[in-house]
DNA sequence: AAAATAAACAATAATGATTATTATCTAAAA
DNA sequence: TTTTAGATAATAATCATTATTGTTTATTTT
């Protein structure tokens, strides 16, 4: 938490109430939330907040490495406060997203594949989760 | 090629000129094409074809396991004729998509992770390709 | 502290990919 | 041939995301 604010300060980014609220919404649950969900959570305390603002804050956080965007569902973005690299699982039954730690995932360590230099890796698993089967 | 038609026949799916054209567009290049690109290629021979038709044919093929959809770019779908499981690399510079064969990818073999049963896995790498650096 | 400047925000419109609808046409079945 | 179901074209609708614009708020300068 503290280091996030430090990071923002280093880059001369103002910590406004809206931005704080977005970050808290993400960090409190430590889950994958859609933009709409984040918007919903914030609106309780900041009725005047705009959806476009939430988008722009999330985009700012993404660029600064404070939040990560995942696209495991094809039709909308989710964001999470975790920034360390890991994979995800999507349950086709209950639609829940799980974090997946792939212990020895060679791809996560690798600096390149086929001569291409890797900056980022998204691993999306699809199936039925342990709760649903 | 032949086996694709067999597969369609088994499931009582008519092989229309439009459907044939979509399949050929995908198979000829063996690349990842956007819906728009496929539409463009087909339109030369079938000026009357509709974009909505291309969408519906691709959706049909996806469901039948004849084509695969990937969402490596966040804002639009790509389709490919390859149906065996493999990963992809997206070059942020030239925007090209490469196939990636991850020789020993434990995730591709695994039947489950954390107790969740896996039906499908998408691995998306992002970075700069060997041509661009 | 007041004025000037820059950044953040809200409201809203615009964009663009995808999906739904409906009428027409084609092909298979009776 | 008639009937029926499926496929297609044309087009409208949807919906997530992005762009725009005017206003407000905070920072910097004087």
């Amino acid at each position: 938490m503290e280091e996030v604010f430090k990071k923002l300060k280093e880059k001369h980014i103002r910590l406004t109430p809206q931005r704080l609220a977005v970050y808290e919404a993400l960090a409190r649950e430590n889950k994958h939330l859609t933009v709409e969900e984040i918007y919903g959570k914030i609106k309780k305390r900041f009725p005047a907040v705009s959806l476009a603002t939430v988008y722009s804050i999330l985009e700012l956080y993404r660029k600064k490495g404070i939040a990560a965007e995942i696209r495991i569902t094809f039709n909308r973005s989710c964001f999470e406060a975790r920034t360390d690299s890991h994979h995800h699982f999507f349950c086709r039954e209950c639609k829940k997203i799980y974090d997946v730690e792939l212990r020895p995932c060679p791809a996560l360590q690798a600096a390149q594949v086929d001569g291409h230099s890797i900056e980022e890796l998204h691993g999306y698993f699809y199936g039925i989760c342990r709760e649903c089967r």
Side-chain angles (χ1 to χ4, degrees), chain A:
Chain A
M1 193 73 171
E2 278 308 313
E3 56 193 287
V4 170
F5 301 152
K6 212 178 96 190
K7 215 172 191 175
L8 288 173
K9 206 159 194 182
E10 274 170 14
K11 311 206 175 193
H12 307 287
I13 296 167
R14 281 186 216 158
L15 194 59
T16 66
Q18 292 89 336
R19 287 177 181 179
L20 189 58
V22 166
Y23 188 77
E24 283 178 347
L26 281 178
R28 187 173 329 116
E29 313 205 22
N30 202 38
K31 278 222 199 85
H32 324 82
L33 302 177
T34 65
V35 180
E36 201 67 53
E37 283 168 344
I38 296 166
Y39 177 62
K41 284 178 187 302
I42 290 173
K43 223 174 176 185
K44 292 176 196 163
R45 285 196 292 152
F46 297 88
V49 85
S50 156
L51 184 59
T53 300
V54 177
Y55 269 101
S56 101
I57 292 172
L58 288 169
E59 171 64 10
L60 173 76
Y61 283 174
R62 192 189 60 72
K63 278 199 298 211
K64 299 301 177 186
I66 286 163
E69 180 178 10
I70 61 173
R71 211 50 181 272
I72 197 167
T73 52
F74 279 18
N75 58 348
R76 71 177 112 279
S77 276
C78 290
F79 286 83
E80 61 182 350
R82 272 191 74 175
T83 55
D84 61 313
S85 193
H86 61 286
H87 299 315
H88 295 94
F89 179 93
F90 177 77
C91 178
R92 290 187 164 135
E93 189 69 29
C94 67
K95 316 295 182 197
K96 235 186 297 186
I97 300 172
Y98 294 82
D99 282 346
V100 168
E101 325 292 336
L102 219 53
R103 266 161 304 256
C105 180
L108 273 178
Q109 267 73 36
Q112 40 174 283
V113 274
D114 298 345
H116 315 310
S117 70
I118 304 171
E119 291 167 355
E120 206 174 321
L121 165 57
H122 289 216
Y124 300 140
F125 295 85
Y126 301 85
I128 308 296
C129 79
R130 56 174 174 251
E131 305 292 330
C132 288
R133 59 199 193 95

